[in-house]
Amino acid sequence: MRSKFLISFICLIAIIGFACSAWAIKAEFHGSMLNAIGTSDNAKVFSHPVKSGKTNYFSYSENYPITSPLPQGVRPPHYLNTYGQKSIKVFNSDIDRTSAQWGITKARLRFDLGTDDELAKVVYSFEVGGINWGDSNKGFGLSGDGVNVETCFAYLQFQMPFMNNMFGKKHMVRAGLQPNKVNQWLWKETATGFSYYGKSDSLKWQASWLRSENPGTKFNMFDSANKDDYLLAKVNWDMMPEFSVGGFVVYGALGEEPTSHGDMYNDTTYYIGVTPKIQVGAFFGNLDFIYQGGSISFKNDGGKYKSLDHSAYLGNLTLGMKVLDTLKISVNGLYVSGDDDPWDGDAENFNSIDTDAEIGIIFFKDSYTASADRAFSDAPYIQDKGLINLALQGDWQVTKANNLRAAVRYLMTAEDLEWTNGLVNQKDDELGWEIDLWYTYKYNKNLSFRVEGAYLFAGDAAKGLVLSAPNPNDPLDLTPGDDMYYLGAGANFKF
């Protein structure tokens, strides 16, 4: 049983820690625990979540044969691929259709064991990941015996002194399950593979081969049918104290996958991104621009389905100023392209690889509840319809221990969401106006408390989210919600 293994493992690590001085090994232990409670009046929206790391969204259509022409003005059926969407967690298996209250715990422990010359170390981390209070299947019911532990990190890291002598600064290699931060909108999650990091006085760079999926039982490096492989290169250049510019290229050869409608396809995609930043006196700004290209090919289709060409992009711009030493104000504009025509052979919607999008509380991952993996979307878009976010933001460090953060934002999908209400086809792009507020109290250097809340003045597209979902939980109850609120509080301990 995993719980017994975990206890044995912790005891072993403790014994190793006492013996480290004799072995010339340095041991470090880090960790965190988050406990959060929350409530919302429209939790049914969360029953149809958007997941970046599991779902490749695209719309596609059948090509009818010439021998069976459709009536003039009638288009063939089209489908939205949502395979993997169900993988994100919800508050319970049969979520309340109007409201929900919840408690969640998430804990992580990390072990770093390194040589005393600081040239090599191994890192292992595991977590009890975002478990609902009362979930007896995960050990959070009465008597607390369950299976709830997952591995976060497991990698070897070592320095390369000969590279240090040639180029200065640090150069290192990582191998295994490791953190990977390409860009906050594209890829900011762990991955397995091999990475090289280097830096000089003004440059930092990364080169990696990473594999996200390999379901085959036997290893064959020449068989890519069931493997998802990524190659990436990233560089950042501090051109001057006030200005830096970064760039990256990611190439993905994704193995054969089923769509949510049973078709088989594979995907070859690439991303090109630039990320300049500037700070002049009290003024600051940063830009992210990412272009996605490539193609989606359906397998053994005999010409039945169109091949799709990726042609998508994401642009994010933040401009602000430091009004006081303790107060920053900024404006943000985010545009993520969506697909408006499933019949044109182009997949114009942007797809992230695996990330956590912090775009407010109601839909995205900028809350304690979302930190425990409970959010409508961890991707910066809604299905294949993209996103537009316009926000005014403020961050005030009231005292050393008290912080207040607030935002007012207007949210839209880049292309219309479509749904059927009864027999009436409807479409709209307005998600609505959202007000977000976070208050954090730093109890000491390890423990902080937070109270947070949000209110959405819902647009028609937000009201239609339940209706536009691919697989509504209850087809007899299709009344969408109106305005939405969220209230949450929690404690976060880090060491």
Side-chain angles (χ1 to χ4, degrees):
M1 184 173 290
R2 284 195 191 181
S3 56
K4 293 181 180 179
F5 166 78
L6 178 60
I7 293 171
S8 301
F9 179 80
I10 293 175
C11 292
L12 177 61
I13 291 295
I15 294 170
I16 292 175
F18 285 116
C20 277
S21 57
W23 295 346
I25 293 292
K26 291 184 177 180
E28 293 184 10
F29 304 92
H30 305 280
S32 65
M33 174 176 282
L34 171 66
N35 285 283
I37 57 174
T39 181
S40 175
D41 67 335
N42 203 350
K44 63 186 175 183
V45 170
F46 293 96
S47 61
H48 309 294
V50 174
K51 182 72 173 170
S52 67
K54 297 291 183 181
T55 308
N56 185 10
Y57 289 92
F58 57 84
S59 289
Y60 64 103
S61 173
E62 289 187 358
N63 284 331
Y64 271 59
I66 299 176
T67 54
S68 303
L70 292 173
Q72 185 175 2
V74 176
R75 286 180 163 181
H78 70 276
Y79 310 102
L80 171 63
N81 179 46
T82 60
Y83 183 81
Q85 188 177 35
K86 62 185 179 180
S87 63
I88 203 168
K89 302 170 184 176
V90 295
F91 300 112
N92 52 62
S93 59
D94 184 20
I95 201 162
D96 191 290
R97 300 300 288 174
T98 57
S99 64
Q101 296 77 41
W102 58 86
I104 304 174
T105 294
K106 184 174 184 177
R108 176 174 290 186
L109 193 58
R110 169 176 165 170
F111 305 92
D112 292 31
L113 300 176
T115 57
D116 59 356
D117 58 10
E118 299 185 350
L119 291 179
K121 70 176 181 178
V122 293
V123 176
Y124 181 77
S125 174
F126 61 86
E127 73 174 34
V128 176
I131 309 298
N132 298 330
W133 293 358
D135 187 345
S136 58
N137 292 325
K138 295 292 187 178
F140 272 55
L142 297 178
S143 77
D145 187 16
V147 178
N148 52 32
V149 177
E150 61 183 76
T151 299
C152 302
F153 301 139
Y155 66 90
L156 166 69
Q157 175 179 304
F158 59 91
Q159 307 290 336
M160 295 186 291
F162 65 94
M163 294 291 289
N164 298 348
N165 295 333
M166 292 175 61
F167 298 102
K169 304 297 181 181
K170 287 186 177 181
H171 298 260
M172 67 180 186
V173 168
R174 284 177 179 167
L177 179 60
Q178 59 191 273
N180 185 49
K181 298 179 181 179
V182 178
N183 179 270
Q184 62 176 325
W185 306 113
L186 177 63
W187 200 353
K188 194 180 177 183
E189 283 289 356
T190 57
T192 51
F194 179 90
S195 297
Y196 158 62
Y197 295 86
K199 66 179 180 179
S200 63
D201 289 335
S202 60
L203 287 174
K204 295 179 182 178
W205 59 88
Q206 173 189 354
S208 299
W209 163 60
L210 301 170
R211 173 162 284 173
S212 67
E213 188 170 14
N214 181 25
T217 56
K218 294 182 179 180
F219 177 74
N220 183 347
M221 66 181 297
F222 301 106
D223 178 13
S224 61
N226 292 316
K227 300 179 179 69
D228 290 354
D229 286 317
Y230 291 93
L231 300 175
L232 74 90
K234 179 182 177 181
V235 64
N236 192 81
W237 180 22
D238 294 327
M239 298 179 65
M240 57 187 69
E242 299 84 7
F243 182 73
S244 66
V245 60
F248 58 84
V249 177
V250 179
Y251 173 80
L254 312 184
E256 184 178 306
E257 293 273 359
T259 71
S260 50
H261 299 276
D263 309 305
M264 303 302 294
Y265 77 99
N266 50 38
D267 190 354
T268 301
T269 187
Y270 64 87
Y271 301 86
I272 302 173
V274 292
T275 57
K277 296 181 180 180
I278 188 170
Q279 179 156 2
V280 179
F283 295 91
F284 61 89
N286 60 75
L287 171 69
D288 302 272
F289 181 81
I290 308 171
Y291 177 80
Q292 180 183 6
S295 63
I296 299 169
S297 300
F298 291 90
K299 182 182 179 182
N300 298 326
D301 54 30
K304 184 179 180 182
Y305 297 105
K306 293 180 178 179
S307 293
L308 304 178
D309 294 324
H310 285 298
S311 181
Y313 62 94
L314 177 150
N316 177 70
L317 176 64
T318 299
L319 298 172
M321 67 176 297
K322 199 171 184 179
V323 180
L324 303 170
D325 289 340
T326 58
L327 176 63
K328 292 189 296 185
I329 296 177
S330 63
V331 293
N332 173 256
L334 171 69
Y335 184 91
V336 186
S337 66
D339 194 357
D340 66 340
D341 188 349
W343 300 278
D344 64 0
D346 292 324
E348 298 169 323
N349 61 293
F350 185 85
N351 272 295
S352 299
I353 297 173
D354 197 2
T355 191
D356 295 312
E358 297 180 356
I359 317 169
I361 291 177
I362 293 292
F363 298 112
F364 300 99
K365 296 197 71 172
D366 202 350
S367 67
Y368 267 2
T369 294
S371 296
D373 304 321
R374 302 300 189 277
F376 173 72
S377 177
D378 68 1
Y381 41 77
I382 304 295
Q383 297 173 13
D384 68 333
K385 302 306 179 186
L387 186 73
I388 298 174
N389 170 67
L390 302 173
L392 173 64
Q393 306 165 137
D395 191 314
W396 182 21
Q397 191 68 44
V398 184
T399 67
K400 187 176 180 179
N402 295 274
N403 179 268
L404 191 63
R405 186 160 64 98
V408 178
R409 67 185 75 250
Y410 180 67
L411 293 162
M412 301 173 60
T413 52
E415 304 296 341
D416 286 340
L417 278 167
E418 300 179 10
W419 67 93
T420 301
N421 192 355
L423 299 177
V424 180
N425 294 326
Q426 295 181 282
K427 62 180 182 179
D428 202 89
D429 60 2
E430 184 182 20
L431 295 170
W433 288 89
E434 180 177 335
I435 300 173
D436 302 313
L437 186 65
W438 303 262
Y439 165 69
T440 303
Y441 174 69
K442 189 174 181 179
Y443 182 77
N444 60 23
K445 67 177 183 178
N446 299 110
L447 178 63
S448 61
F449 298 96
R450 185 195 288 177
V451 179
E452 56 195 17
Y455 194 92
L456 178 76
F457 298 93
D460 286 343
K463 298 175 183 179
L465 269 178
V466 174
L467 303 182
S468 65
N471 298 298
N473 283 351
D474 185 355
L476 300 179
D477 179 10
L478 291 178
T479 303
D482 294 316
D483 295 349
M484 305 181 205
Y485 75 80
Y486 161 90
L487 291 173
N492 195 16
F493 182 87
K494 294 183 177 181
F495 66 94

